[in-house]
Amino acid sequence: MMSTSRPLLEVHNLTVRFPLHEVVAVDRLSFQIARGERVALVGGSGSGKSATALALIGLSDAAAVVEASSRIVFDGHELPALDAESPDTLRTLRGNRIAMIFQDPAAALNPSMSVRDQIAETALVHGVSPAVALRDADVMLARVGLHSALGHAYPHELSGGQCQRAMIAMALLLRPALIIADEPTSSLDVIAQAQVLTVLRDLQRETGAALLLITHDLGVVATTCTRVLVMHAGQLVEDAPVERLFRAPAHPVSAALLRAVPRLAVGR
């Protein structure tokens, strides 16, 4: 039986424009995510995936305009209204109740701080004491498979996969209700990609957080999510359970993305 509880995230008529370039990056997008649900937002380059993610947490590019008719409701909070009327409240939600894992961890991490200190800082800005923040950072480093010695390293001393694990530790430190992961494995090799996805999936299940995974790779979706939203030219063109989309995609864009998934050839 499906739950009748209110969705954790409700997006209604989200429209993001770049007036300078006369581009509509996101065009009247609407979807919902339930508590604990694992949803993929997929599409080709330029389909509007990342513009959607940044709009959800109020971090859109300075050149972007989120239309006033857009509604983003997270756990009962109207996020665009909070951004305008109470930015401090929105900052409290970010990192605490909503966490973001960015596409390029090397760019997202502070090069002048050790990994351990950066993870702990997430807790410090939300009122956790320094001693507890550092203790929790050490626990999370272990949970994502990073040796404690690596916590004292700086981002440039780590591999791409290690940096992404640190980003996951930072994102999940305060056990958020929603994790937004924007192409979290796009810059990693296949082995590191599988390891990072396993860590992310295991921690998501452990914490009960909902996951919005943004990717162009349906191979990643197959092992991580239960539902898929397919975007094309800023619009939502398909919303389906993973199994149904892989079995019988309803839209040509979904079918094209499936054809792009590498497959092992057996025989000739």
Side-chain angles (χ1 to χ4, degrees), residues 98-177:
I98 307 172
M100 181 90 174
I101 301 171
F102 293 95
Q103 183 172 353
D104 184 357
L109 293 170
N110 186 335
S112 66
M113 293 179 66
S114 72
V115 168
R116 181 182 186 237
D117 286 345
Q118 290 188 64
I119 295 171
E121 186 180 40
T122 302
L124 289 172
V125 298
H126 290 283
V128 177
S129 71
V132 172
L134 287 170
R135 182 201 66 195
D136 291 349
D138 289 336
V139 170
M140 286 305 300
L141 282 166
R143 288 292 293 113
V144 299
L146 290 178
H147 190 276
S148 58
L150 292 176
H152 299 285
Y154 291 83
H156 72 274
E157 298 176 305
L158 304 181
S159 69
Q162 289 170 333
C163 283
Q164 198 59 281
R165 287 170 184 252
M167 286 291 296
I168 292 171
M170 191 182 305
L172 274 74
L173 182 67
L174 296 177
R175 303 179 72 91

Side-chain angles (χ1 to χ4, degrees), residues 27-31 41-44 47 228-240 244-245 249-257:
D27 188 7
R28 295 165 293 174
L29 179 66
S30 297
F31 64 91
L41 182 62
V42 306
S47 61
V228 188
L229 308 172
V230 182
M231 288 188 73
H232 176 65
Q235 296 184 333
L236 183 65
V237 296
E238 186 163 2
D239 179 349
R244 191 175 78 196
L245 183 130
H251 195 276
V253 170
S254 306
L257 289 169

